[in-house]
Amino acid sequence: MSCSRREALAALGALLATPSLSAALAHAEDTQPADMLLATSPAFQAARIRGELTAEQVVRRALDRCNTLGTSWRAIDLLSSSALADARASDERLRRGRLLGALDGVPVFAKSIYDLQGQPTSASSAEWVRLFPDAVPRDAVEVARLRAAGAVVLGKTAADDFAYRGNGTSSHTGQVLNPYDASAQRTPGGSSAGAAVVVAGGMAFSALGTDDGGSNRIPAQFTGVVGMKPSFGLVPRSGVIPTWPYLDTHGPLARSVMDAALMLWALVGADGEDALSHDLGRDTMRAMVTTSGVNRTAVQPSFTPDALRGRRLGIVSIHAPRTQMSAESVAQFDKALADCRTAGAIVDVFDAPVTRVNVRERFAEVASARGNVRPNPNSPAATANALYRYFARQGVDARAAAQRGHAAYRAFYDVLPTDWPAFEALLTSPYEHDAAGVSFARSREQVVTQLASAMRAERIDALVYPTMPFPAPLAVNPWPDVRTPLGFGNWMGLPEVSVPAGYDSQGMPLGNLSFVGLPGDDAALLAMAYAYEQQSRHFKPPAAVGSR
């Protein structure tokens, strides 16, 4: 006779005594969708322990969907040949009572700029594929950490070439389509376009993305999923084709805040090969899933539907440009704020000393006062060295590889020197010592301190604003000329969790609500975002998923 869901959760928690897994299972919902790939990973694990399904069955279903919907939406860069074997290995660990944690057996994806051992790295660029057709010998550190947690990496998702733009346009696999748009004309956003589409479309529970100026948050909004930009440096970036070392921030996309949190839990912590990675916020992130109780299934209160109760949320007016938003978008934003209030939050206007309007000026002012060079997060030397180190990590002749890829890479990162000798001269100067980059990092620390002081004075726990002030435009059209705080978040290195806030009358995702905090506040932000999500519960899968 099969046991009840509650008994199954308790049994699995007692069997494994794994804090991250027990906490996740405690959050498994009372009901689950008929399609397990549209559930949460805790619900998936609960169904496994009850014997209702196996990781192999779910991974096989995910791969089938990737080969149908994923291909038609041009969301897939490549699929791993080892995914089914990895799923079977997870099922064997479950049979032996030795699951590795909450992610064991869970299907996930990485973005096309990530290295996967035994596969080439395309960067979503047709020219890069031609120049570098060989398989790489090592996983990116984030991929390695996911595998160590037992996750089944299904493959890689399509993106803009070199993760440079925000439209989801790849010269290798084509324009990624928005799965909610039957006309196939609206952008899914980018650059982490495919990552957002595979989670929205029920091909994985979560996916790795990258964000230099909105590349996780834009597609999160345009496809109606959760997207996170963690605190800068919390997630190391070793083994990923670089962008801007002083801005680039890696994090999860998922259908639920819980699944985003569980992926991030596996990723955090410094890595020696990424000189700008650190451990600030790592311990609180890991403690977020600490459990207690006889069966280790009781989650600490910070991650409950009550996490917004008594929290003060600040609205920075310039970051919510009501006069430039449609009436439908304004109404949706107001409804999201009302949901936060219903969940117990206090929402009020906050006069921030630094905003998207003056952030660059503030950085320059404090650098000038220090007598430093002008801050520049797009310093050519830092990016050149990051590319050199990316190749060196593979054990190849990094100088020769950089020369081979120079023209293709520079076509997007056009601050780099056009001639090879000038580019070569920059390769080996460590980016962590680059004068313009160091000046930028020091200015960031000072300006963040100004923001933190103002937030403390007003007792503000987090900022909230629309992730984007408009829904997905047509992929071939210029975007509305409305400035957003996306780049502000990257300059400041602030953590941000973008959560679906609803759909328009045509069923298209209309907007997301962003929760923004200070560096190291990742766990607290996720807890607040979770509480909002439980109050609003807006995610809906694309209509096409029901037929596949």
Side-chain angles (χ1 to χ4, degrees):
M1 183 175 65
S2 62
C3 59
S4 70
R5 185 179 188 82
R6 185 181 299 275
E7 291 168 339
L9 296 180
L12 185 55
L15 174 66
L16 300 173
T18 304
S20 61
L21 182 58
S22 301
L25 291 174
H27 279 275
E29 298 171 359
D30 292 335
T31 60
Q32 60 191 34
D35 183 348
M36 184 51 66
L37 281 166
L38 294 176
T40 62
S41 59
F44 160 71
Q45 298 288 21
R48 287 179 76 193
I49 191 61
R50 288 201 306 268
E52 296 174 359
L53 51 79
T54 66
E56 181 182 2
Q57 290 169 339
V58 172
V59 166
R60 190 178 297 278
R61 178 73 186 278
L63 292 172
D64 288 345
R65 189 169 284 167
C66 289
N67 283 313
T68 54
L69 291 178
T71 299
S72 67
W73 290 330
R74 303 183 195 129
I76 307 299
D77 178 73
L78 63 80
L79 294 174
S80 169
S81 60
S82 68
L84 286 171
D86 295 341
R88 285 191 288 270
S90 175
D91 287 332
E92 178 58 27
R93 287 193 292 273
L94 176 59
R95 281 190 288 272
R96 292 187 288 120
R98 295 183 180 179
L99 283 184
L100 301 174
L103 291 177
D104 202 335
V106 174
V108 301
F109 266 99
K111 193 173 175 177
S112 64
I113 57 174
Y114 282 75
D115 281 358
L116 263 62
Q117 184 180 25
Q119 303 283 358
T121 300
S122 75
S124 285
S125 161
E127 179 63 6
W128 203 256
V129 170
R130 185 186 71 81
L131 292 169
F132 299 98
D134 295 335
V136 298
R138 299 176 64 186
D139 282 331
V141 66
E142 295 159 78
V143 174
R145 288 180 178 183
L146 288 174
R147 292 196 202 275
V152 177
V153 181
L154 298 182
K156 295 195 276 189
T157 56
D160 293 86
D161 287 44
F162 298 103
Y164 189 76
R165 295 194 172 94
N167 212 38
T169 308
S170 164
S171 63
H172 177 45
T173 52
Q175 173 64 53
V176 182
L177 304 182
N178 191 314
Y180 290 89
D181 179 26
S183 72
Q185 296 184 61
R186 295 191 181 275
T187 177
S191 62
S192 303
V197 170
V198 296
V199 296
M203 288 166 258
F205 290 95
S206 55
L208 288 170
T210 66
D211 193 313
D212 289 73
S215 285
N216 266 11
R217 294 161 288 162
I218 295 169
Q221 165 148 325
F222 289 173
T223 64
V225 299
V226 175
M228 185 172 186
K229 182 187 77 64
S231 297
F232 176 80
L234 181 62
V235 177
R237 305 155 301 179
S238 315
V240 182
I241 293 177
T243 54
W244 310 113
Y246 283 87
L247 294 175
D248 191 20
T249 309
H250 296 186
L253 292 108
R255 284 184 305 280
S256 69
V257 174
M258 173 58 76
D259 278 316
L262 291 173
M263 174 174 268
L264 185 62
W265 183 89
L267 301 176
V268 298
D271 176 67
E273 293 180 312
D274 182 349
L276 298 180
S277 64
H278 57 72
D279 289 330
L280 177 65
R282 180 197 65 178
D283 292 341
T284 53
M285 188 64 223
R286 290 180 175 172
M288 182 185 68
V289 292
T290 298
T291 59
S292 60
V294 175
N295 293 313
R296 301 188 64 77
T297 58
V299 179
Q300 69 181 50
S302 63
F303 209 72
T304 72
D306 295 327
L308 275 173
R309 190 166 303 283
R311 296 286 189 173
R312 296 184 65 87
L313 305 179
I315 303 173
V316 180
S317 297
I318 195 68
H319 293 171
R322 290 173 176 271
T323 59
Q324 296 177 287
M325 295 164 63
S326 71
E328 195 173 20
S329 291
V330 170
Q332 183 209 47
F333 178 55
D334 286 340
K335 175 61 168 63
L337 297 180
D339 285 340
C340 290
R341 292 186 177 101
T342 299
I346 302 161
V347 184
D348 207 348
V349 173
F350 171 57
D351 185 15
V354 56
T355 68
R356 67 161 184 80
V357 174
N358 65 3
V359 62
R360 294 172 185 246
E361 178 185 343
R362 287 277 194 266
F363 272 53
E365 286 173 354
V366 294
S368 177
R370 293 192 312 267
N372 285 166
V373 300
R374 188 172 185 83
N376 183 8
N378 307 119
S379 170
T383 296
N385 178 244
L387 184 65
Y388 177 85
R389 286 155 82 155
Y390 165 75
F391 284 122
R393 187 179 185 272
Q394 297 178 0
V396 300
D397 183 336
R399 194 176 299 270
Q403 183 173 14
R404 192 188 327 160
H406 170 230
Y409 188 71
R410 199 245 164 227
F412 290 84
Y413 294 92
D414 56 5
V415 301
L416 297 170
T418 55
D419 63 293
W420 167 247
F423 183 67
E424 182 182 27
L426 302 178
L427 291 178
T428 57
S429 298
Y431 59 66
E432 62 269 30
H433 301 314
D434 176 66
V438 170
S439 179
F440 178 83
R442 290 175 176 169
S443 288
R444 172 188 276 161
E445 183 178 356
Q446 289 181 263
V447 177
V448 166
T449 298
Q450 295 173 11
L451 177 63
S453 296
M455 289 176 67
R456 281 195 299 270
E458 297 295 325
R459 295 184 294 115
I460 298 295
D461 295 297
L463 309 178
V464 287
Y465 36 76
T467 301
M468 296 280 285
F470 51 85
L474 298 180
V476 297
N477 284 0
W479 288 13
D481 186 19
V482 182
R483 297 293 181 262
T484 76
L486 294 169
F488 162 82
N490 289 90
W491 269 58
M492 297 286 283
L494 307 178
E496 180 174 342
V497 185
S498 173
V499 186
Y503 299 80
D504 67 14
S505 58
Q506 305 301 311
M508 287 290 297
L510 182 57
N512 279 23
L513 182 67
S514 277
F515 292 82
V516 183
L518 296 169
D521 283 351
D522 302 73
L525 277 185
L526 283 162
M528 286 184 268
Y530 175 81
Y532 167 72
E533 178 188 57
Q534 296 307 297
Q535 178 64 41
S536 57
R537 293 185 179 272
H538 280 300
F539 176 78
K540 299 175 184 175
V545 174
S547 62
R548 299 295 177 92

